[in-house]
Amino acid sequence: PGRMSTAWMTPAELAAELGQTERWVVTHMRTGDIPSVKVGRARYFTPECRAALVARQIAEAAIPAKQVG
C-alpha cells in the first residue's frame, strides 16, 4: 500500500494493487461495487474510480455490525 497511481488501470492491475484476484475485481465491477470507465470493449479504473471504492470501503467499515442475539 502507498499512494495510489494516477494512471488508468486494468482489472489485473487494480487487483494487484488491492491484493485481490482479478476475478474478485471483475465480479465487483459488474455489480457496480467498483466504478469503472468503458473504452471500446475494455474497462479501466481511473484514480477517481479507485478513490470512490476506497471511500465506500471506509464508510462501510465505520458502520457498526449488527449484534446477534
Side-chain angles (χ1 to χ4, degrees):
R3 211 175 99 173
M4 272 194 246
S5 168
T6 58
W8 287 26
M9 295 181 146
T10 64
E13 292 167 334
L14 181 62
E17 184 175 280
L18 296 175
Q20 295 289 343
T21 64
E22 185 175 354
R23 184 180 187 131
W24 183 92
V25 169
V26 170
T27 298
H28 287 274
M29 176 190 70
R30 287 182 178 155
T31 62
D33 292 337
I34 302 176
S36 63
V37 175
K38 187 172 183 180
V39 179
R41 295 178 63 186
R43 288 273 179 183
Y44 295 95
F45 303 94
T46 65
E48 294 80 12
C49 292
R50 298 191 310 274
L53 170 63
V54 170
R56 194 184 106 248
Q57 289 176 327
I58 290 170
E60 288 175 358
I63 298 172
K66 289 184 177 180
Q67 292 190 5
V68 178

